[in-house]
Amino acid sequence: MQKPLNQAFPDRVALVEGEANLTYEDLEQRIGSMASGLLAGSSDLQEERIAFLLPASADYVVALHGVWRAGGIAVPLNVAATESEWEHCLSSTGVTRVIAADEESASISALCDRLAISLIIIRDCGSDHRASFPALSPQRRAMIVFTSGTTSKPKGVVTTHGNIAAQIATLVEAWEWQREDVIPLFLPLHHVHGIINVLSCALRAGATVHLMPKLDIKWLCEQVANDAYSLLMAVPTIYVKFIDYLRDLPTEESRLICEGFANMRLNISGSAACPVEVFDEWQQLTGQVLLERYGMTEIGMALSNLYRGERRAGHVGQPLPGVQIQLVEESGAVVSREGVPGEIQVKSDTVFLEYWGNPDATTAAFVEGWFCTGDIAVVKDGFHRIMGRSSIDIIKSGGYKLSALEIEDKLLAHPAIAEVAVVGVADRTWGEAVAAAVVLKAGATLSLSGLKAWCEDKLSAYKTPKKLVVLEALPRNAMGKVVKPSLKSVF
Ligand code: MLC
Ligand code: AMP
């Protein structure tokens, strides 16, 4: 399934990293060397889980494809996570080797020692002895990406080579990816938006990816003004950041950058709801009509507005090629007419295989072969509109899916906190912001800055509360359960 990347376009530039350009031929050489090194004489890694802690870089791409080519399962780690978060990813999936860059290796080496996992530095991974690589069926497991949800600990979503090929194929077709495309990649590479929609589609199409380890709005705008890119894919928060930046610039400078955006062939928003105001402002500023689409780690992308056709603000469009969608009412009845809301359920080759080591969660996620997303939508004139989620414990902040339960679990260990409830509250930049309501232990005090500092080595920074209220008691119903909807109004 993992075909060589260089067959049709060896001389084209695949990756740009700083001043360096890597052609498809160069990349293929490095992947071959990496895969041979990982195999170290064996013929197939037989789904060995190999994690990597690498920022967006050619090294990352080489590690990902090297693991795939050698028959392993790739487990990309969040470079900004805490040690306890890495520990969960590594131990729950039985990772045996971690590949890291020089800079990142120090932060994970003690953990690898403790878990008896071998830590290898990427530059030491390759081998000059070219191995022959295993033939991989579409059913073979390829990747585990962690997703937060309605359980305290993130779940490992397993996709096969067939799933990944289908996720890429539907987007290459729907958005008409072409080898002339050039796209910046600033999204995190431990989630499907960055891994599949940007990186993998570009490489499948023979396009060029500009890798950047961090979002830098000013630098990106300079590139855009020089017509460096044909495509842009981002979460709504990033469009808000672009809008704020452009609005603050002198008119002429802003005009040049906006013209650059106008010259692109496509700007896409996804991973969280794009507010109609952001859609409208982007169009006013740049002339670009944002294409909004809907997806999920477990299913890749499922719904999308049309590349050639109407793109409706506040809507996520129609099913992508090869993806079947049904809306299902709470009663279990399939919605048969427009205007009736129901849970989005998906059937497609793009849908994941299983949650790693969690057959109960896997079984619970499917009904008669349909994957139940937990997202509620309604259809009008054939366009799907996302109305919300069935669980209040899932928060979408800047495109990251966060579990209120995971954050509550961590905060409960704080010495001043007796009770805690976490909710997402509406926020212009982040979509939803993490907000914590706490009841303190007798005599204790707590400030937001103190809480943030305490969270530093326990939670990734984007999970830490942005708002804090101290209450005498949490609002609870007759069963003693915290009434979270009423808590939102407290903020
Ligand atoms: C950063 N911060 C966040 C945050 N990102 N806070 C809440 N939510 C977030 N998402 C905080 C940091 O903790 C820090 O806080 C401050 O903002 C500045 O940090 P930064 O790292 O400099 O921020 P920035 O680089 O601007 O990052 C913002 C961002 C990033 C939007 C680029 O969040 C991001 O890459 N989001 C995309 C996530 C994504 O790819 N999701 C797709 C999942 S897959 P402090 O207090 O220290 O100042 C999926 C399926 C699908 O959803 O459909 O695609
Ligand atoms: P993740 O589990 O991180 O892949 O996040 C997937 C979730 O993001 C979906 O279940 C939706 O709740 C949300 N999502 C993705 N795209 C959109 C969108 N365009 N509009 C609203 N929500 C979205």
Side-chain angles (χ1 to χ4, degrees):
M1 273 322 270
Q2 290 301 326
K3 294 187 223 117
L5 292 170
N6 63 340
Q7 278 174 339
F9 18 73
D11 301 328
R12 291 194 61 78
V13 174
L15 304 174
V16 178
E17 185 180 11
E19 300 296 305
N21 285 352
L22 226 79
T23 65
Y24 277 87
E25 187 64 46
D26 300 335
L27 184 58
E28 189 54 35
Q29 288 297 330
R30 286 196 55 193
I31 291 168
S33 160
M34 165 67 70
S36 305
L38 290 173
L39 282 166
S42 74
S43 59
D44 187 337
L45 292 183
Q46 303 282 8
E47 299 191 348
E48 176 187 349
R49 273 79 65 211
I50 300 191
F52 36 93
L53 187 65
L54 298 162
S57 57
D59 282 347
Y60 175 100
V61 182
V62 169
L64 176 69
H65 282 267
V67 173
W68 281 345
R69 199 65 60 79
I73 300 180
V75 186
L77 297 175
N78 174 5
V79 283
T82 62
E83 190 175 285
S84 62
E85 290 167 335
W86 287 329
E87 179 164 359
H88 171 66
C89 299
L90 298 176
S91 344
S92 66
T93 54
V95 162
T96 43
R97 288 189 265 180
V98 172
I99 304 171
D102 269 325
E103 305 77 49
E104 276 73 27
S105 61
S107 55
I108 202 165
S109 77
L111 177 64
C112 288
D113 281 351
R114 184 152 58 78
L115 300 177
I117 292 174
S118 61
L119 173 62
I120 27 183
I121 306 298
I122 181 108
R123 71 180 136 71
D124 302 332
C125 286
S127 165
D128 294 336
H129 287 282
R130 187 55 50 98
S132 57
F133 302 127
L136 303 174
S137 76
Q139 289 76 32
R140 276 283 287 263
R141 293 170 180 82
M143 184 159 71
I144 303 178
V145 167
F146 280 82
T147 187
S148 296
T150 46
T151 47
S152 163
K153 296 268 191 202
K155 296 194 287 277
V157 175
V158 181
T159 40
T160 62
H161 287 280
N163 295 147
I164 291 172
Q167 291 178 3
I168 296 169
T170 190
L171 298 186
V172 169
E173 176 183 342
W175 299 338
E176 300 188 16
W177 271 93
Q178 40 203 264
R179 61 178 65 177
E180 290 73 27
D181 278 324
V182 184
I183 189 165
L185 175 48
F186 41 75
L187 291 168
L189 282 175
H190 61 287
H191 281 306
V192 296
H193 196 162
I195 303 171
I196 302 292
N197 297 23
V198 182
L199 180 64
S200 301
C201 286
L203 296 182
R204 178 52 57 216
T208 301
V209 181
H210 280 213
L211 296 156
M212 42 206 80
K214 176 128 191 57
L215 177 71
D216 181 342
I217 295 276
K218 181 173 180 292
W219 187 87
L220 269 169
C221 282
E222 285 163 17
Q223 308 307 306
V224 170
N226 289 327
D227 288 332
Y229 310 122
S230 63
L231 275 174
L232 181 69
M233 295 189 195
V235 299
T237 297
I238 294 177
Y239 286 102
V240 172
K241 287 177 180 250
F242 274 126
I243 289 169
D244 290 350
Y245 177 76
L246 290 167
R247 292 257 183 247
D248 280 349
L249 282 183
T251 316
E252 182 54 18
E253 214 178 312
S254 165
R255 192 185 62 75
L256 282 174
I257 299 166
C258 289
E259 259 178 37
F261 281 113
N263 293 339
M264 290 187 192
R265 81 170 176 87
L266 183 59
N267 287 180
I268 299 181
S269 172
S271 297
C274 180
V276 173
E277 308 82 71
V278 174
F279 180 99
D280 288 342
E281 265 196 282
W282 193 248
Q283 188 171 5
Q284 275 166 23
L285 270 172
T286 67
Q288 282 282 349
V289 182
L290 277 176
L291 183 153
E292 185 171 4
R293 58 52 177 187
Y294 159 89
M296 195 173 182
T297 304
E298 287 89 334
I299 60 174
M301 300 302 112
L303 292 157
S304 171
N305 278 280
L306 293 173
Y307 178 54
R308 292 177 198 277
E310 187 187 353
R311 299 177 197 165
R312 194 173 285 193
H315 293 71
V316 293
Q318 295 87 16
L320 279 156
V323 178
Q324 283 176 269
I325 296 283
Q326 64 178 17
L327 300 186
V328 177
E329 293 180 66
E330 238 172 292
S331 65
V334 176
V335 171
S336 55
R337 60 193 165 82
E338 292 203 344
V340 179
E343 184 192 38
I344 301 175
Q345 297 188 354
V346 186
K347 207 181 256 191
S348 163
D349 290 344
T350 56
V351 174
F352 78 128
L353 179 70
E354 62 187 353
Y355 294 112
W356 181 268
N358 198 339
D360 291 347
T362 308
T363 306
F366 288 87
V367 171
E368 291 168 9
W370 292 86
F371 173 70
C372 307
T373 62
D375 291 309
I376 311 299
V378 67
V379 181
K380 185 163 180 263
D381 309 330
F383 286 80
H384 289 73
R385 182 162 62 85
I386 309 290
M387 302 179 71
R389 283 180 292 271
S390 52
S391 169
I392 197 165
D393 287 321
I394 291 175
I395 301 168
K396 262 271 160 168
S397 172
Y400 281 120
K401 187 172 175 183
L402 312 178
S403 163
L405 304 178
E406 181 190 1
I407 301 169
E408 286 166 4
D409 245 23
K410 293 278 181 203
L411 298 189
L412 260 185
H414 190 287
I417 295 178
E419 293 175 47
V420 59
V422 166
V423 289
V425 295
D427 184 276
R428 177 179 176 273
T429 302
W430 301 111
E432 288 181 290
V434 174
V438 298
V439 175
L440 296 180
K441 290 183 181 158
T445 58
L446 186 65
S447 67
L448 181 60
S449 57
L451 182 64
K452 279 187 173 176
W454 181 84
C455 286
E456 230 160 64
D457 60 346
K458 298 170 186 74
L459 281 172
S460 294
Y462 55 80
K463 298 180 185 171
T464 58
K466 295 220 182 307
K467 292 170 197 283
L468 173 72
V469 289
V470 176
L471 300 175
E472 290 292 312
L474 296 177
R476 292 184 187 273
N477 63 18
M479 314 287 288
K481 203 168 174 305
V482 177
V483 190
K484 287 200 171 176
S486 72
L487 201 53
K488 288 198 182 204
S489 59
V490 174
F491 293 92

